[in-house]
Amino acid sequence: MNQSPLRAAARLVASLKLTVALLVAAMVLVYAGTWAQIDNDIWRVQSQYFYSFYTWIDFRTLLPRPRGGVGGVPGGFPFPGGYTVGLLMVINLLAAHASRFIWSWKRSGIILIHLGLLILLAGQLITSLLAVESQMMIRQGQTAQYSEDTRVVELAVIDPADPATDKVTVIPQERLRGGALIDSPQLPWRVRIEQFFPDSRILGPMQAGPQADPRATQGAGQKLTVVPSTASGVGPMTQAMPSAYITLARDGKPLGTWLVSLFFDGPQEVGTGPQRRLIELRHKRLYKPYSVELLKFSHDRYPGTDIPRNFSSLVRLVDPRHHVDRQELIWMNHPLYYRGETFYQASFSGEDTTVLQVVSNPGKWIPYIACAIGGFGMALHFLLHLIGFLRKRNAPTSTTAATSTAAPTHRAGAVAWTAALLSVVFVATSYWMGRLPSNPVDLGLLGQVPILLDGRAQPLDSAARNAVRVLSGRGQVRVDGRARPAVAMLADMIASGGEAQKVPVIRIDQPEVVAALNLPTGEKLFSFEQFVQRAAVVNQQLQNAQTQEPTQRDLFARKMLELGRKLELYQRLGDPAKLFLTPPSLAEGKWQTLQSAIDIETAPGANPSALAGLLSAMFDWHGGQAASFNDNISRYVDWLSRHEPGLMTRMRMEMRFNQLQPFYLCMILYVLAFILIALSWLVWQRSLRSAAIGVLWAGFCLHTLALALRMWLQGRPPVTNLYSSAIFIPWGAMGLTLLMERIYRNGLGAAAAAIMGFVSLLIAHNLALDIGQSASGNGDTLGALQAVLDTNLWLATHVVTVTLGYSAAFLAGGLGIFYVLRNLLIGRDADANRELSRMIYAVVCFAALLSFVGTILGGIWADQSWGRFWGWDPKENGAVLIVLWTALILHARWAGLAHQRGVALLAIGGNIVTAWSWFGTNMLGVGLHSYGFMDRALAWLLAFVASQIFLIGLGLLPAGQASSTSPPSSGDLQ
């Protein structure tokens, strides 16, 4: 019997296929809304894409932008907005539970997950409708009784007749429409809105040129022209500049036309005597029944840098009605809560004015409740099915089988231990060979000397290695054909000055830059002296590059600015007035520059201190007195070891860390492990695979030790910037792989993790060469953190968990690649495919759990830092895309839309989503997370995306016939 149309529609509404379609729609919407933030401020994007029933998506929004952000594919298409997609998800979810789900303990996790999702969507709806965000700007010593909603304006008419209190009549923005006529007894005239510009630019007579159109006949704007504009950027400080032309009339007689705009600093006068009024277009003011006085604003920086360490506002809160009069300190990640409003440290203006973000959100706590329920449900569901899977997987076999495999397992263990021990010997030998020489000068002692650079104390060895790596792309430089350690090169720059400037150490890879600066063609390394000789042309080219808009800079301009940062770094390291080489124990409890120390030591009547040993050593270095240098530097280091033992312990450990180069050694071990696994597919399967696992264990232990040492040196969790994420991701994948190897014992996961570990560490190596937006580089510098990141709590929870989610997602994608290549090159094997598909599914489950929990923790961090749990920031959107993609894979599998091959191809697609979340969002240059911006990897990211699409295409090709007809196993993790 055919189903009735009503029943068929009900089945469709409750189907998992509709769930998959809605997840795809949500991903398209989030992706488009992220790219749209390049052209519009975040509030407009939220309103257009996420807080709407309908939107229009331009084709160019979905594609990488041409330089300058203009051009691209014209046209677009209509698409459901966030309200529509969310509503359909709720209907689909409720229908599915009503018609299909079984209410049992086994399904309790799924029920809790979906309940949390429903509450989360409801909370986001309440937030979008009722939340109010505003700003309170207060100068030190002043008091504020209102905040301003920077997204909305109002036309204020002020009667200043009473010296004590102004009488203000306000016309809200919704009434400021072109052609609107406003006639109220509270106003002294009728107001006609001639034209309203939601965003504008104000041009003077010379700027406007032929398009000059000064329409105002009265007031300050009589010679100015208004041009429509579009605000761009993200964040609470991004503001449009609304303007309007208004005509005033009294008793039917026009008084003239005024230009009112946020462009003007204050109100304009209209009339004289008793009829005198002030008019002003201003941000909407939200008056408070209490006052906030700024007692002190502090903008703390890391010593010797402009890197903000903390912003804080000491305020006095006075509420006479509730008998409140107290002082409160507001600083990063520590807001003030009062009367349903939350005050966050958002920004500052100058050195004495704070900007507080004021948020009123009736649904503030709903996301917390939803995430607690959903997170617990996900963990419960995952745990229940993992336990069931392990029970089936580890079910005892016959005694005969156990006896027959005991001996091979014992031999395999011996092979693994032997391979691991040989790997340890290799690591120890590499460390021994990497030590700095001590003859004729003791570079080991010199490398231990502490320096304060980029906001942290570090040994000269680290400062030198990072500097030489950034300047030349190498770990060493060559002088007269001989390799010279980096620390020796830095000592030359400090002590020898002009001689060091003749050494070619600054690398230029762009031939056009070399030609433009009249440098010798065919060379890539140049001396600082060569740039000094060409100072005029270098400065001119740098000035030309700096004047270009960041989004319109071509490759030449970007390479010129990179060269400029290298020259800045070289100058800073060679200038005693900028090097903080004097530790606190030698300079009144704080770090001092080397020049300050010289002034102290050479002042009349000064008593010689231990610092004299360092200064003497520098003179000895310049004069080539090796024996005297060793004696002086030894006495200086010994003195510091006695008076600052903690500092010197860190210096020695960091220098040993540099000499070991653990992540480089891990790359070698991971490549060796992959080679052994690949060979095991041809010969000696068990022995070579066991040896590979032993090597992987050695690499994983070394990797763990290196991460732990970095954490100890920096005093931070393992992930703080792009570089640290690139060395943490393979560690997470390796740990998960070794856990899976205990279950599957087929080497496939280990091979994928080994390749992934090598590639990720190779990415980290190139990030270490990136000079980025600062002169010190963005690589392995263990540098100071931005103020908003200066919290171990959220770095240790949100960032680490999200990065582990990256690890699992990339590992699943790597296994998907193995699935495709194995079937293409070897032929289809049903048993192997089934085993590999289970592994992919299990890892995707890990990725879904970790990404979801990490994203939720990020929402909590955002609430503590910026006053909203979710703001559709690009980095937040990148995280939610991974969650949506992993959910799509799981639901497609449960719906029967993706079987073994389909899941593998979707996992490869997850590589694209994860890479975009990891790197792509940092390349947009907008958002509250733009402190991690970098664009030099765009070509590599696009190449990676193309490679994954190519692999997906290969996976769609027909495979060979199955080599096994074994029935499906019931031991799947589902």
Side-chain angles (χ1 to χ4, degrees), residues 527-548:
S527 68
F528 185 77
E529 184 179 65
Q530 290 175 288
F531 296 101
V532 173
Q533 295 168 351
R534 297 163 175 81
V537 64
V538 171
N539 291 334
Q540 182 62 50
Q541 292 293 348
L542 285 174
Q543 184 178 358
N544 294 340
Q546 290 168 348
T547 56
Q548 297 181 22

Side-chain angles (χ1 to χ4, degrees), residues 213-269:
D213 184 22
R215 298 166 58 184
T217 61
Q218 300 288 335
Q222 294 183 56
K223 297 182 179 181
L224 302 179
T225 299
V226 181
V227 179
S229 180
T230 300
S232 63
V234 182
M237 294 304 296
T238 300
Q239 299 174 2
M241 185 184 290
S243 300
Y245 285 112
I246 62 172
T247 298
L248 307 181
R250 182 186 297 116
D251 300 329
K253 297 180 180 179
L255 303 178
T257 299
W258 274 260
L259 170 63
V260 291
S261 174
L262 290 183
F263 174 79
F264 302 117
D265 293 333
Q268 304 177 59
E269 291 189 3

Side-chain angles (χ1 to χ4, degrees), residues 446-693:
L446 176 63
Q448 296 177 31
V449 172
I451 181 176
L452 185 72
L453 189 65
D454 297 325
R456 79 172 186 98
Q458 55 188 285
L460 275 180
D461 181 72
S462 291
R465 288 175 186 264
N466 291 327
V468 170
R469 189 182 297 118
V470 168
L471 293 173
S472 68
R474 302 173 180 174
Q476 295 179 329
V477 295
R478 304 194 71 83
V479 180
D480 297 329
R482 299 178 60 185
R484 188 161 179 78
V487 69
M489 182 63 198
L490 179 57
D492 290 340
M493 293 168 61
I494 298 173
S496 301
E499 292 300 319
Q501 293 183 7
K502 299 178 181 179
V503 178
V505 68
I506 300 175
R507 184 182 181 94
I508 302 177
D509 291 311
Q510 194 69 16
E512 289 83 356
V513 174
V514 174
L517 300 182
N518 298 321
L519 293 166
T521 58
E523 300 289 335
K524 289 190 175 182
L525 289 175
F526 305 93
S527 68
F528 185 77
E529 184 179 65
Q530 290 175 288
F531 296 101
V532 173
Q533 295 168 351
R534 297 163 175 81
V537 64
V538 171
N539 291 334
Q540 182 62 50
Q541 292 293 348
L542 285 174
Q543 184 178 358
N544 294 340
Q546 290 168 348
T547 56
Q548 297 181 22
E549 290 293 330
T551 57
Q552 297 178 350
R553 288 173 182 155
D554 56 15
L555 180 61
F556 176 84
R558 285 181 283 134
K559 288 298 182 180
M560 275 303 309
L561 293 177
E562 181 180 304
L563 173 61
R565 290 189 289 270
K566 289 183 178 181
L567 296 176
E568 177 190 349
L569 173 61
Y570 190 99
Q571 286 179 300
R572 181 156 62 101
L573 293 177
D575 186 353
K578 296 180 180 179
L579 289 183
F580 287 78
L581 274 166
T582 310
S585 58
L586 287 171
E588 303 175 351
K590 63 179 182 180
W591 285 88
Q592 296 278 4
T593 64
L594 183 59
Q595 184 62 57
S596 299
I598 294 174
D599 295 340
I600 294 172
E601 288 293 319
T602 57
N607 295 320
S609 67
L611 188 60
L614 176 61
L615 299 178
S616 298
M618 291 295 100
F619 285 113
D620 293 334
W621 183 278
H622 179 69
Q625 304 296 321
S628 179
F629 170 84
N630 291 340
D631 181 62
N632 282 313
I633 204 70
S634 177
R635 286 191 290 108
Y636 178 67
V637 171
D638 289 343
W639 189 93
L640 284 179
S641 299
R642 293 193 304 271
H643 290 81
E644 296 206 28
L647 174 66
M648 294 308 296
T649 297
R650 292 200 309 274
M651 298 301 102
R652 293 189 185 95
M653 289 300 297
E654 184 167 343
M655 194 176 72
R656 290 168 185 163
F657 177 86
N658 295 335
Q659 294 169 359
L660 178 60
Q661 301 185 70
F663 300 116
Y664 177 73
L665 297 180
C666 285
M667 290 174 62
I668 296 176
L669 293 177
Y670 293 155
V671 170
L672 176 61
F674 175 77
I675 293 174
L676 291 173
I677 292 175
L679 290 175
S680 74
W681 297 334
L682 303 176
V683 295
W684 305 333
Q685 179 177 0
R686 183 180 294 273
S687 297
L688 289 178
R689 190 175 70 216
S690 299
I693 297 302

Side-chain angles (χ1 to χ4, degrees), residues 877-953:
N877 292 349
V880 82
L881 282 174
I882 298 178
V883 175
L884 291 171
W885 187 259
T886 54
L888 185 149
I889 296 176
L890 298 179
H891 285 82
R893 184 179 184 275
W894 297 332
L897 295 175
H899 298 286
Q900 293 177 0
R901 181 167 64 166
V903 169
L905 298 182
L906 287 173
I908 298 175
N911 286 341
I912 300 175
V913 176
T914 307
W916 190 80
S917 175
W918 183 20
F919 272 94
T921 54
N922 291 69
M923 298 178 186
L924 299 179
V926 295
L928 293 170
H929 296 76
S930 59
Y931 42 74
F933 175 73
M934 50 107 50
D935 65 354
R936 71 190 299 266
L938 177 60
W940 289 105
L941 178 62
L942 294 177
F944 175 77
V945 171
S947 69
Q948 302 307 291
I949 294 175
F950 176 73
L951 288 167
I952 292 173

Side-chain angles (χ1 to χ4, degrees), residues 4 60 165 264 354 625 707 841 897 948 972:
S4 66
R60 72 189 188 105
T165 305
F264 302 117
T354 187
Q625 304 296 321
L707 288 175
Y841 175 68
L897 295 175
Q948 302 307 291
D972 205 353

Side-chain angles (χ1 to χ4, degrees), residues 400-461:
T400 303
T403 303
S404 63
T405 59
T409 300
H410 177 74
R411 288 195 299 270
V415 171
W417 274 106
T418 302
L421 290 175
L422 291 175
S423 300
V424 171
V425 171
F426 164 72
V427 171
T429 303
S430 299
Y431 170 72
W432 182 264
M433 296 177 63
R435 293 184 308 159
L436 290 172
S438 58
N439 187 29
V441 292
D442 196 335
L443 295 181
L445 281 177
L446 176 63
Q448 296 177 31
V449 172
I451 181 176
L452 185 72
L453 189 65
D454 297 325
R456 79 172 186 98
Q458 55 188 285
L460 275 180
D461 181 72

